[in-house]
Amino acid sequence: MADPHLRARAFLPAVEHAAAGTHVYPVVPWKMDRTPGAIRRPPPDFGEHNRWTLAELLGMDVSVVSVLEAQGVIASVPTG
């Protein structure tokens, strides 16, 4: 992580996360002119995108998603 070459290429940017704090993450190892790879936001919280993924992206009925939440099949807080 202290390699001068990686630092010069901004390969290991520090990313701030509201719950996890600031950590260093690697970006894609190649550089492209028109589609540069970058970390634009921190990683999601546990289960943060469950509803969007299941209902919007996969087309699952919202009531079914609610039942899955009530049954503990999906959650936004880890258990155990």
Side-chain angles (χ1 to χ4, degrees), residues 6-54:
L6 296 179
R7 291 211 176 268
R9 295 185 55 79
F11 181 72
L12 299 163
V15 179
E16 185 177 342
H17 188 279
T22 302
H23 296 278
V24 175
Y25 294 92
V27 295
V28 294
W30 51 86
K31 302 280 186 189
M32 295 186 281
D33 291 337
R34 291 185 287 177
T35 56
I39 297 176
R40 296 184 299 267
R41 60 184 153 268
D45 287 331
F46 185 87
E48 180 179 347
H49 300 121
N50 283 350
R51 283 192 161 269
W52 178 81
T53 302
L54 295 172

Side-chain angles (χ1 to χ4, degrees), residues 49-61 65 68 74:
H49 300 121
N50 283 350
R51 283 192 161 269
W52 178 81
T53 302
L54 295 172
E56 299 295 323
L57 188 63
L58 299 177
M60 189 178 284
D61 190 85
V65 175
L68 292 174
I74 59 172

